[in-house]
Amino acid sequence: MITTGTSDCLIVTGMPGAGKSTVTRLVAERLQRAARLDGDFISRLVVSGRVGALGEPADEAARQVELCNRNLCTLANNFSDAGFTPVIDWVIPSREQLDFFAGLLPTRRVLFVVLAPGIEVCRYRNTIRNPRERFDFDGYEDLDADMKRELGDAGWWFDTAALTPEETADRIIREASQRARVN
């Protein structure tokens, strides 16, 4: 079970529409002391010159993704040092990025949960979101294949297709410590 006072850092990832934002908010609300760290929010702190993760030029997009990852880890370490469990919501598509996180969280027990309800569920959930929260994305098949190839043996691949967000959050709190550890 995830409890306050440990050095756990929970990272929840998945494709657009997997439920990351809703589930991480619910997990953080259920813990006694937690901070939800939203990678989309952190990346949007860059106001001028922002290049999204899939944007061009690709080298600048990669540089800004790395900056966001560094900032997420710095915040996670700061919150953890202050007694809060960091709950990170961010798309981590590769082993290289997961290893980067683990390397910047060396004194934390990193728990990595991949919300994996399936491509069609993610597409559907993305379409029913508030229009301001929708992510126009047509690369589900490629991202799914890449994540499975790169991260298929990492953490906990959690099929949430038949679960409510509340049920998903409750199971993550109960089971992530045993199923999701990557270091």
Side-chain angles (χ1 to χ4, degrees):
M1 178 170 282
I2 298 173
T3 59
T4 302
T6 64
S7 62
D8 292 344
C9 177
L10 175 65
I11 301 171
V12 177
T13 195
M15 294 188 293
K20 297 177 300 296
S21 298
T22 301
V23 168
T24 55
R25 181 181 45 76
L26 291 169
V27 167
E29 288 173 353
R30 283 165 165 72
L31 298 174
Q32 185 178 2
R33 292 170 56 94
R36 180 178 172 271
L37 307 177
D38 180 348
D40 289 333
F41 175 82
I42 299 300
S43 72
R44 286 191 298 269
L45 291 174
V46 174
V47 176
S48 296
R50 182 174 183 275
V51 178
L54 302 175
E56 293 293 333
D59 61 332
E60 180 60 19
R63 190 178 82 81
Q64 290 185 29
V65 165
E66 181 178 323
L67 176 63
C68 180
N69 292 346
R70 283 184 185 283
N71 287 330
L72 284 166
C73 290
T74 298
L75 286 169
N77 281 316
N78 290 342
F79 278 110
S80 185
D81 288 345
F84 293 86
T85 300
V87 180
I88 296 174
D89 162 6
W90 188 226
V91 175
I92 298 179
S94 69
R95 174 68 68 164
E96 180 182 0
Q97 283 195 35
L98 178 58
D99 291 346
F100 185 83
F101 272 80
L104 292 177
L105 301 165
T107 62
R108 314 290 172 219
R109 183 170 69 161
V110 176
L111 307 175
F112 184 66
V113 177
V114 181
L115 299 182
I119 292 171
E120 292 311 313
V121 172
C122 289
R123 274 195 180 114
Y124 172 73
R125 289 178 182 171
N126 195 33
T127 65
I128 63 171
R129 288 185 199 190
N130 179 315
R132 292 177 307 188
E133 296 174 8
R134 257 183 232 138
F135 183 69
D136 294 326
F137 183 69
D138 62 358
Y140 283 99
E141 286 79 9
D142 290 341
L143 180 58
D144 185 56
D146 290 347
M147 288 180 75
K148 285 177 179 169
R149 183 184 65 255
E150 291 270 330
L151 299 163
D153 63 344
W156 178 18
W157 282 71
F158 186 10
D159 181 351
T160 59
L163 300 175
T164 67
E166 293 78 11
E167 292 168 330
T168 300
D170 290 342
R171 284 202 51 201
I172 287 172
I173 291 168
R174 278 194 322 267
E175 300 176 34
S177 291
Q178 290 77 39
R179 302 182 76 162
R181 189 168 180 173
V182 293
N183 65 349

